[in-house]
Amino acid sequence: MNEPLFRLIYISRNEISGDEATLNREIDQILASSRVKNPIENITGALMFNAGCFAQVLEGSHNEIQNTFERIQCDPRHSHVVVLAFEPTSERSFSNWSMAYFGTNSNAAAKFGDIANKAGFDPSLLEGDRIFDLLKEHLIEAESASHRKL
Amino acid sequence: MPNELTQIIGNCAQVSSLGFAVINESGVLVCANPSFCEMFFITSPEAAAGCALAEHVSSRFYSINADLSKAFTCPAPDIIELRLERSSEPLTMHIAAGNDLRMLTVNRVSKPLVDKKLPNNAYQDPLTGLGNRMLLNDQIANWQPSGPESLSLAVIMIDLDRFKKINDTLGHGAGDTLLKLVAKRILSATRDNDTVIRMEGDEFVVLHTIGFQPIGAISVAKRIVELMSRSFLIEGQQTNIGASVGIAALNHGTDNIADLLKHADLALYAAKAAGRGIVKFFEPALAQRAMDRRNLEIDLSRALGLKEFVLMYQPQVNMADGTLQGFEALIRWHNPKRGLVSPADFIPLAEQTGEINAIGEWTLRTACKEAMSWDGNFSVAVNVSPIQFENESIVDIVRNALIATGLAPERLELEITEGVMMKDYETAQKHLWAIKKMGVGIAMDDFGTGYSSLSYLNSFPFSKIKIDQSFVRGESSPKSRALVQAIISLGASLKMTIIAEGVETKEQFDELAAGGCQSAQGYLISRPIATPAIAGFISDLKNKPR
């Protein structure tokens, strides 16, 4: 692992349309495919989501991040991708790849709490980071703007 | 030796990269090889047995089959395409027929970008792996209609916006990386039947072979524009470009297959002209407009040689005593077919084609020469286009015109618009000062329109400001009057002469004169005069009792 490490942080609009079952299934599928692909590509990071928004941190080599980002950019489940940071970083903040629901709705929090467990999401890794606070703000804002309330 | 055979096949299945599995009549997995397990996220072959395949697959893959359990339980053979993401390469699952147990074979089929029958290199773009122009021509030439008229061939032509800037700032290596990523994004927006081509540079074509037109091609085009507007990550940098798209479809504005590429190109040209990130569908009016423009361009390029240009001169007078100060030279184009063509129609075109350099030089020389024939040391004002100032030799052109004709530099005045300063501030300043040093006057034309930046007045050597005629016409409104007054006092403080153009009525003249404006030109004084009539005009004015 002598390749320089990069960190990408972006937010995007959640374009998954349909009922809760659809969202459940799509989220499950994102989790499944990420868990298969990301370790192979040596990508770590975190995906936070709610009904309105995705917020993602990706860590890895430049080219692997580029590949993953290209896949994300062509994925119809996202739109309005806004890159907040893309920069070299000295170390990984995440030891693996994780995923968590971040929203105000308590039902959904209970339902998707399981995902955080499955994905090994540890918010304490991000706590106190300015960009993480920013991501949380974006997530909550996007959720309140979303038509679908989970 | 059926047992031995079974064992051999079994061993092969264990190590094969193909996925093998057996399901029972209810679609439940009986066994699966390691490749199958890997493809379908099953932890091990041992864990495969008992798994309800339809449910397992439908939660992880996209399929056009709405009901996978039906496909798995139906005894007929079937082929199912499964995608991890909507846009990704499909896994193709073959289901063999059977009454109770059924065999599944799965292979990852990567669709060849280029038809295997052709020698690849000749039809492939080496950088992106897409097809090249030869493949495009080939496919268009060999296309056969295969359905109703609405299902027809469309050419989607894509040109990247701001690509040159990436090449210039991040280097050609970054440009090449970007083109590769662009190629992949375009592929992700197209369908299996489409052919994606890189033409050259940053131009791509999608040949949309089967789709309801025009909606089919337009939706692909819009998706491409959307994908191109999203950020790219290149060489550690976030990069934003964009794309413009032109479409032409057979039976939808284009009748002849040979015209498809040309029409898509025209639509692309219109899309770019309309702004960036726009999709334009070809319509016959575009072809007419392009043809008109091309004809005008050709006629314009011949006009100098055929001596179709003439200069007319509009007098400029001193407002205090009505004496003649000089003339503004105005170009006129008499074309035998077109009649009199307005400068508003041909000057912008000449600026685009570069013809303006030759036309401008001719105008300058002709004006200087004809001014030498006038009875009196009247000044002559010549309009100079911003494009002429991009040319390094503008200073020499002015100097040579003076030397060749013998006109005193003080009698020549160049009228320039602020476009000259806006193009390249430093160079414009250098050229203008050099011209000023020869003794030539420089007038700021159309003042009050555009940005009218005061910093131009400060740093450029203007000897005169020309108030735009729109203010003169609006003299009756209090606001226009106030603006004219402000320009006049600005000029007075900066020791620049103020001239008003478009003066048409006695009221306007009196008002301007009372406000302190020094010079005027306009229909009230005289329309532009043809060269042969100038001598008469001058002598009439001299003999007129005042």
Side-chain angles (χ1 to χ4, degrees), chain B residues 299-312:
Chain B
D299 287 350
L300 187 61
S301 71
R302 295 173 179 167
L304 267 182
L306 297 173
K307 297 194 181 301
E308 292 174 357
F309 291 121
V310 292
L311 295 184
M312 305 271 283

Side-chain angles (χ1 to χ4, degrees), chain B residues 266-382:
Chain B
L266 284 169
L268 175 61
Y269 185 83
K272 294 197 94 123
R276 303 284 150 163
I278 285 177
V279 175
K280 278 262 181 209
F281 204 95
F282 173 79
E283 46 192 294
L286 287 181
Q288 190 54 49
R289 227 174 296 157
M291 188 66 86
D292 291 348
R293 192 193 131 100
R294 204 186 112 72
N295 289 336
L296 186 63
E297 237 178 79
I298 291 174
D299 287 350
L300 187 61
S301 71
R302 295 173 179 167
L304 267 182
L306 297 173
K307 297 194 181 301
E308 292 174 357
F309 291 121
V310 292
L311 295 184
M312 305 271 283
Y313 296 90
Q314 187 164 38
Q316 302 176 327
V317 297
N318 183 329
M319 294 188 98
D321 56 13
T323 51
L324 181 66
Q325 292 181 318
F327 299 88
E328 178 184 1
L330 298 163
I331 191 162
R332 295 289 181 262
W333 178 20
H334 291 282
N335 180 274
K337 279 185 308 199
R338 301 171 183 276
L340 185 65
V341 187
S342 158
D345 290 333
F346 73 83
I347 294 292
L349 184 63
E351 287 179 332
Q352 280 172 39
T353 62
E355 189 68 20
I356 193 70
N357 284 306
I359 296 173
E361 192 172 347
W362 174 86
T363 306
L364 198 59
R365 249 169 208 262
T366 309
C368 290
K369 192 179 77 191
E370 292 184 345
M372 285 297 286
S373 70
W374 298 339
D375 180 15
N377 286 332
F378 303 112
S379 65
V380 61
V382 178

Side-chain angles (χ1 to χ4, degrees), chain B residues 389-408:
Chain B
F389 270 87
E390 286 174 8
N391 190 338
E392 268 299 309
S393 53
I394 182 67
V395 180
D396 288 336
I397 289 170
V398 173
R399 184 182 295 117
N400 291 340
L402 292 170
I403 292 169
T405 59
L407 186 78

Side-chain angles (χ1 to χ4, degrees), chain B residues 94-376:
Chain B
H94 294 261
I95 308 174
N99 278 326
D100 40 12
L101 293 183
R102 267 186 292 289
M103 176 80 173
L104 306 180
T105 334
V106 188
N107 56 344
R108 298 166 203 262
V109 182
S110 60
K111 194 174 86 73
L113 295 173
V114 174
D115 194 330
K116 287 231 167 65
K117 284 176 297 220
L118 306 164
N120 278 359
N121 292 341
Y123 289 84
Q124 200 174 19
D125 172 52
L127 179 68
T128 58
L130 299 175
N132 62 10
R133 186 189 282 268
M134 256 171 85
L135 179 68
L136 179 68
N137 292 340
D138 221 76
Q139 296 220 336
I140 291 179
N142 293 321
W143 184 79
Q144 295 292 332
S146 61
E149 274 210 342
S150 55
L151 270 177
S152 73
L153 186 65
V155 168
I156 303 169
M157 200 171 277
I158 305 141
D159 193 80
L160 301 184
D161 302 331
R162 297 184 294 279
F163 175 73
K164 194 180 170 299
K165 221 171 129 191
I166 305 296
N167 252 346
D168 291 350
T169 54
L170 298 180
H172 286 272
D176 284 353
T177 307
L178 180 60
L179 290 173
K180 285 191 223 170
L181 298 182
V182 163
K184 281 194 193 156
R185 285 197 188 178
I186 293 175
L187 276 172
S188 85
T190 55
R191 303 179 199 172
D192 290 352
N193 294 313
D194 297 338
T195 303
V196 184
I197 301 285
R198 176 170 172 234
M199 296 293 270
E200 70 249 302
D202 59 346
E203 197 170 281
F204 295 83
V205 165
V206 175
L207 197 63
H208 194 52
T209 44
I210 298 176
F212 280 98
Q213 308 303 357
I215 303 151
I218 288 175
S219 69
V220 171
K222 288 200 166 149
R223 176 79 185 148
I224 289 170
V225 166
E226 163 67 27
L227 288 182
M228 292 306 131
S229 73
R230 299 182 177 183
S231 303
F232 289 86
L233 303 177
I234 290 174
E235 300 200 346
Q237 312 265 349
Q238 177 188 350
T239 302
N240 294 304
I241 54 165
S244 303
V245 179
I247 306 172
L250 208 55
N251 307 325
H252 296 270
T254 304
D255 299 329
N256 189 345
I257 197 163
D259 290 333
L260 272 177
L261 275 178
K262 191 175 76 187
H263 286 179
D265 214 6
L266 284 169
L268 175 61
Y269 185 83
K272 294 197 94 123
R276 303 284 150 163
I278 285 177
V279 175
K280 278 262 181 209
F281 204 95
F282 173 79
E283 46 192 294
L286 287 181
Q288 190 54 49
R289 227 174 296 157
M291 188 66 86
D292 291 348
R293 192 193 131 100
R294 204 186 112 72
N295 289 336
L296 186 63
E297 237 178 79
I298 291 174
D299 287 350
L300 187 61
S301 71
R302 295 173 179 167
L304 267 182
L306 297 173
K307 297 194 181 301
E308 292 174 357
F309 291 121
V310 292
L311 295 184
M312 305 271 283
Y313 296 90
Q314 187 164 38
Q316 302 176 327
V317 297
N318 183 329
M319 294 188 98
D321 56 13
T323 51
L324 181 66
Q325 292 181 318
F327 299 88
E328 178 184 1
L330 298 163
I331 191 162
R332 295 289 181 262
W333 178 20
H334 291 282
N335 180 274
K337 279 185 308 199
R338 301 171 183 276
L340 185 65
V341 187
S342 158
D345 290 333
F346 73 83
I347 294 292
L349 184 63
E351 287 179 332
Q352 280 172 39
T353 62
E355 189 68 20
I356 193 70
N357 284 306
I359 296 173
E361 192 172 347
W362 174 86
T363 306
L364 198 59
R365 249 169 208 262
T366 309
C368 290
K369 192 179 77 191
E370 292 184 345
M372 285 297 286
S373 70
W374 298 339
D375 180 15

Side-chain angles (χ1 to χ4, degrees), chain A residues 6 8 25-26 29 32-33 36-37 62 65-66 69-71 73-79 83 86, chain B residues 41 58-60 62 84-87 177 181 185 188 223 227 230-238:
Chain A
F6 275 77
L8 169 73
R25 206 177 52 181
E26 297 274 355
Q29 207 235 316
S33 88
V36 172
K37 283 178 190 158
H62 181 280
I65 288 192
Q66 188 181 62
F69 188 66
E70 281 304 304
R71 217 162 47 224
Q73 288 290 49
C74 297
D75 188 332
R77 289 172 299 202
H78 304 248
S79 74
V83 175
F86 179 51
Chain B
F41 311 116
S58 61
S59 71
R60 287 166 176 82
Y62 291 100
L84 205 48
E85 277 156 22
R86 282 197 186 101
S87 54
T177 307
L181 298 182
R185 285 197 188 178
S188 85
R223 176 79 185 148
L227 288 182
R230 299 182 177 183
S231 303
F232 289 86
L233 303 177
I234 290 174
E235 300 200 346
Q237 312 265 349
Q238 177 188 350

